[in-house]
Amino acid sequence: MPRAPATPHNSDAFNLGNISDALTVAANIGGIPTYNAMAYNAPSHPLLSVHISKYVKFTVTTAGTNYSKWRQIITSLLTMYQAIDHITEGAAPAAPDAVWLAVDIHVSLWFLATLSDDLHRLVQGSDGHACSTWTRLRRFFLDHGSSRYLYLSKAFHNCPRGDLSVSDYAAKLQGIADDLAAVEPPVDDRDLALAFLDGVGGSSNSRPPS
């Protein structure tokens, strides 16, 4: 039985070097403008390699849960990669280049991946730029600030410890305080400490002696 010829043992065993030529020929059929895919140089920026799922493992909903934490993560990443202009009103260049546009789309994809569908529909900017979505998102939570503040303030001052460990209870209180900071001046450190001591003491006193 005849056998297939052996595969050449060289760096171009799969004829990758000729792929761009084949694409060029195919693209020219019927007068279609030539597009050499292999020659395309994608925009390069260190932020484009950042996967937001590594840092944000939760979804922000219209209820605003974890919004302040989400905002802090996004702001920190953009500051670290010197791309804070993408969420700063009036900071976008008049004539953005390909790299700036690619980063802006990348940040917009972060929003799409970390905001709930209904929240994203409410805040997505009509021009598609990340800053528009960021600004509308902030205004959305500010518009609902009064009712949200009352809810969070009540939750903060009446936060039971239950069966939580001391560290988990402290983290829970800090999370509510962070959410409060998104709509009102931050919770004073003294108030945070007193709420924590009250919760720990109240929880301990309510448990039967071992």
Side-chain angles (χ1 to χ4, degrees), residues 43 85-86 91-105 127 129:
D85 57 322
H86 288 271
D97 58 18
V99 174
W100 193 95
L101 290 173
V103 171
D104 204 63
I105 292 173
D127 61 4
H129 289 313

Side-chain angles (χ1 to χ4, degrees), residues 161-173 196-197 199-201 203-204 207:
R161 176 184 172 188
D163 294 327
L164 294 175
S165 66
V166 171
S167 59
D168 286 344
Y169 179 67
K172 181 179 180 180
L173 272 179
F196 171 73
L197 292 173
V200 172
S203 175
S204 299
R207 294 181 179 180

Side-chain angles (χ1 to χ4, degrees), residues 24-199:
T24 299
V25 172
N28 278 322
I29 297 175
I32 301 173
T34 300
Y35 172 70
N36 190 337
M38 299 298 289
Y40 173 68
N41 293 319
S44 177
H45 190 284
L47 186 72
L48 297 176
S49 64
V50 176
H51 298 284
I52 196 62
S53 59
K54 179 180 178 181
Y55 300 94
V56 180
K57 304 181 185 300
F58 53 86
T59 300
V60 181
T61 68
T62 53
T65 305
N66 291 326
Y67 166 63
S68 59
K69 180 180 179 181
W70 176 89
R71 184 181 62 177
Q72 183 177 0
I73 292 172
I74 299 296
T75 302
S76 298
L77 285 172
L78 293 179
T79 301
M80 181 168 61
Y81 286 95
Q82 300 181 1
I84 198 68
D85 57 322
H86 288 271
I87 59 170
T88 304
E89 289 187 89
D97 58 18
V99 174
W100 193 95
L101 290 173
V103 171
D104 204 63
I105 292 173
H106 192 71
V107 175
S108 292
L109 290 174
W110 284 2
F111 299 164
L112 189 62
T114 55
L115 303 180
S116 66
D117 291 344
D118 55 344
L119 178 58
H120 190 269
R121 281 193 296 269
L122 288 171
V123 301
Q124 185 177 20
S126 58
D127 61 4
H129 289 313
C131 186
S132 298
T133 301
W134 178 270
T135 302
R136 288 168 63 109
L137 181 65
R138 180 175 177 275
R139 289 174 180 168
F140 173 82
F141 285 113
L142 286 179
D143 288 344
H144 296 80
S146 297
S147 58
R148 180 165 167 72
Y149 175 77
L150 290 175
Y151 168 78
L152 290 172
S153 180
K154 183 177 180 180
F156 178 78
H157 292 290
N158 299 280
C159 182
R161 176 184 172 188
D163 294 327
L164 294 175
S165 66
V166 171
S167 59
D168 286 344
Y169 179 67
K172 181 179 180 180
L173 272 179
Q174 184 63 62
I176 299 175
D178 289 343
D179 288 337
L180 270 169
V183 293
E184 286 289 324
V187 175
D188 184 87
D189 288 342
R190 178 176 177 275
D191 289 340
L192 182 60
L194 289 175
F196 171 73
L197 292 173
D198 182 62

